[in-house]
Amino acid sequence: MKPGKMIRQVLGSIFKKPATVMYPADKLDMPEKFRGKLKYIPHLCIGCKLCMKDCPTGAITINKIGDKQFEAVFDLDRCIYCAQCVDSCPKKALEATKDVELAQLDPKKLRITFTIDGSQKNTPREP
């Protein structure tokens, strides 16, 4: 690249808006169909376990708690966020959220159990 052309490009970039975002000071605005952390809606689940069968990494487990009552266990460290489980659920009991801040220092926090009442709790993995 010739020096004259390079100087013109450097001076032109001074007045342009930066391409980066000041994360985490500025929160990320994710697109509408972004595939982030999964959300489980227990009253819609019929226990067909199609989400478990379609998950390429085995990150989802559906457990029967009572008569037509199920809880879901998600292993966020296994999930590749492909949303195949969301697409395969016939009752739309799974949703992909825009939540991207999932990094953890404690691996126990990466296993989440969604209970019947819709709450979530961290559950350690069995050895």
Side-chain angles (χ1 to χ4, degrees):
M1 184 179 272
K2 294 182 180 181
K5 190 174 184 181
M6 186 169 55
I7 290 174
R8 187 174 1 160
Q9 188 173 10
V10 169
L11 293 175
S13 66
I14 290 174
F15 302 106
K16 290 182 181 177
K17 183 179 174 183
T20 58
V21 177
M22 295 298 294
Y23 180 80
D26 295 339
K27 293 296 179 189
L28 297 174
D29 185 30
M30 305 312 291
E32 189 60 37
K33 298 271 185 170
F34 184 78
R35 299 179 303 209
K37 182 179 176 183
L38 295 174
K39 178 181 173 185
Y40 175 67
I41 306 164
H43 67 275
L44 295 178
C45 183
I46 58 173
C48 66
K49 299 185 180 183
L50 281 175
C51 54
M52 285 178 56
K53 294 173 187 165
D54 280 349
C55 182
T57 60
I60 302 174
T61 306
I62 302 293
N63 300 320
K64 187 171 184 173
I65 301 302
D67 187 37
K68 296 184 180 181
Q69 295 180 333
F70 304 92
E71 73 176 7
V73 180
F74 296 120
D75 289 313
L76 298 178
D77 56 345
R78 289 185 186 172
C79 185
I80 58 173
Y81 304 97
C82 64
Q84 182 63 38
C85 55
V86 175
D87 295 337
S88 65
C89 182
K91 296 296 183 179
K92 304 299 179 203
L94 293 172
E95 293 178 357
T97 66
K98 294 182 180 182
D99 189 5
V100 296
E101 296 178 347
L102 303 174
Q104 294 290 335
L105 293 175
D106 185 6
K108 294 175 186 169
K109 293 182 179 178
L110 293 172
R111 185 179 177 96
I112 298 176
T113 300
F114 287 90
T115 58
I116 298 168
D117 61 0
S119 64
Q120 63 184 34
K121 61 183 179 180
N122 295 330
T123 53
R125 191 177 284 133
E126 295 85 24

